[in-house]
Amino acid sequence: MPWGKGIDKDANLNGLIASYAQQVLICTGKDDWASRIEEDNSGDNLAADLKELIGRGGMYSDPFHNVSIVNASFPSAISRRPEIQTTSVYLLPSFKYIPFLPRVSFDSVQALVKGYLLPEKLHPMNDGLSPIHKDRLLRKEAYQHALYGVRDVEDVLVLICGHEQRDKRCGIYGPILQEEFERQLPPAGIEVLQGPALDESVSAPRLSGTTSGAEEAPRTARVAQISHIGGHKYAGNVIIYLPPSLTNNAGNPHPLAGHGIWYGRIDPKHVEGVIKETIVNGNVIADHFRGGITKDGEILRL
């Protein structure tokens, strides 16, 4: 498909984002998947497990609390026990990183759902449910302790839809935009991190945001391709999650810290401006803005 063919250059992008309370970013270590991600690897994958629990008809399904499940090209963390196959996930915009979900344990998937993904308070439309049903749909903090190594996310996450098996347009834009972001971030003073976010096989792994002495913590970012998020015809589609700990060049809290910003129609020529305006200065670019989300789950529109 020729570059730019099939892209809607005229529609107003503002508000073209599906409401969600939480986005689960599954670290798969690859950059393309079956058109329906739950069918990848013959259905043996974390996305399928999660959709079995919180998807339509699932035990914890709540139509008024949408959880977005997305695959990402980030590699999973490396455990000190490599004989146990695990998968890592990011939870956004709560900005949590869960490095080790054992693939042989459905209990760990339930702990993820019940400890982190269910709501702390039900939508009023659920008032008619029985007390037992209401209790089942509420988050239980005790389940959080069943998951090992959970930590806060301190890196900027740049996520680019590159789901070629779902749509050729995203398959074209994804790798090109990933390369351009990775090239343009370092000159803007943001270090691009590669590889697993945690590697327990290394005796003294570097953790994001850690420094020695009085050295100022560097700003860091990770860039990945992700599966379908809607809006193929607005490719390139980019989500930028800016962690709550992020500061600006003056060391003050970043204006968009704790937010996720969705952009559409991003070409390589726009990447430098997106980095400067949004990641560095904390401004939203209205011409590309599809929507956003706050750390509390409020969906933003202009």
Side-chain angles (χ1 to χ4, degrees):
M1 176 181 288
W3 178 264
K5 185 177 181 180
I7 304 301
D8 186 337
K9 299 290 187 181
D10 301 315
N12 181 3
L13 294 176
N14 182 35
L16 296 179
I17 170 179
S19 295
Y20 62 100
Q22 202 72 229
Q23 191 164 64
V24 182
L25 200 67
I26 303 171
C27 301
T28 69
K30 60 182 188 177
D31 57 15
D32 198 21
W33 310 269
S35 179
R36 292 166 55 90
I37 60 173
E38 63 270 26
E39 296 175 357
D40 215 37
N41 196 31
S42 300
D44 182 14
N45 60 77
L46 182 55
D49 293 344
L50 287 170
K51 291 192 176 190
E52 182 179 336
L53 291 176
I54 58 178
R56 185 175 300 174
M59 179 182 296
Y60 305 107
S61 175
D62 181 349
F64 306 104
H65 183 80
N66 182 40
V67 176
S68 169
I69 301 170
V70 178
N71 278 352
S73 61
F74 292 129
S76 284
I78 298 175
S79 169
R80 65 172 62 94
R81 298 180 62 190
E83 71 275 11
I84 300 178
Q85 183 183 1
T86 60
T87 302
S88 305
V89 299
Y90 287 90
L91 305 182
L92 303 157
S94 62
F95 290 92
K96 294 293 183 183
Y97 177 67
I98 301 177
F100 305 116
L101 283 169
R103 289 295 303 124
V104 296
S105 170
F106 199 70
D107 288 345
S108 67
V109 182
Q110 284 195 308
L112 171 62
V113 170
K114 298 171 79 169
Y116 288 97
L117 300 182
L118 296 182
E120 295 177 299
K121 182 180 180 181
L122 293 180
H123 190 281
M125 292 298 289
N126 285 321
D127 286 349
L129 298 177
S130 69
I132 291 178
H133 195 168
K134 288 180 181 178
D135 182 68
R136 185 203 311 159
L137 296 181
L138 284 171
R139 185 181 306 179
K140 305 292 191 302
E141 186 175 339
Y143 285 93
Q144 297 179 7
H145 305 300
L147 300 176
Y148 163 69
V150 180
R151 60 197 61 207
D152 293 334
V153 175
E154 297 185 346
D155 307 317
V156 174
L157 300 180
V158 180
L159 311 175
I160 306 147
C161 184
H163 198 169
E164 183 174 14
Q165 291 192 53
R166 186 69 177 250
D167 190 273
K168 295 291 186 184
R169 288 165 290 192
C170 296
I172 292 172
Y173 274 84
I176 294 172
L177 288 177
Q178 179 177 4
E179 181 179 348
E180 190 65 11
F181 270 103
E182 290 177 342
R183 186 178 73 86
Q184 295 278 3
L185 281 163
I190 301 168
E191 179 184 358
V192 177
L193 302 179
Q194 305 283 355
L198 178 63
D199 184 351
E200 288 190 336
S201 68
V202 178
S203 58
R206 175 188 171 186
L207 300 180
S208 301
T210 59
T211 57
S212 59
E215 180 186 355
E216 183 178 350
R219 286 180 294 177
T220 55
R222 295 182 182 273
V223 184
Q225 294 181 59
I226 60 173
S227 61
H228 175 61
I229 54 173
H232 306 299
K233 63 182 180 180
Y234 308 122
N237 289 296
V238 178
I239 308 174
I240 301 172
Y241 283 105
L242 302 127
S245 60
L246 189 65
T247 58
N248 60 18
N249 287 336
N252 299 317
H254 191 281
L256 293 175
H259 289 66
I261 303 298
W262 288 50
Y263 285 139
R265 294 198 292 248
I266 298 296
D267 286 340
K269 66 183 179 182
H270 300 129
V271 168
E272 183 178 8
V274 168
I275 293 170
K276 178 182 178 181
E277 289 301 317
T278 300
I279 298 178
V280 175
N281 295 331
N283 299 317
V284 168
I285 305 171
D287 288 347
H288 295 281
F289 184 68
R290 289 183 57 181
I293 189 168
T294 69
K295 192 173 187 299
D296 297 325
E298 178 187 357
I299 297 296
L300 302 176
R301 296 175 174 85
L302 293 179

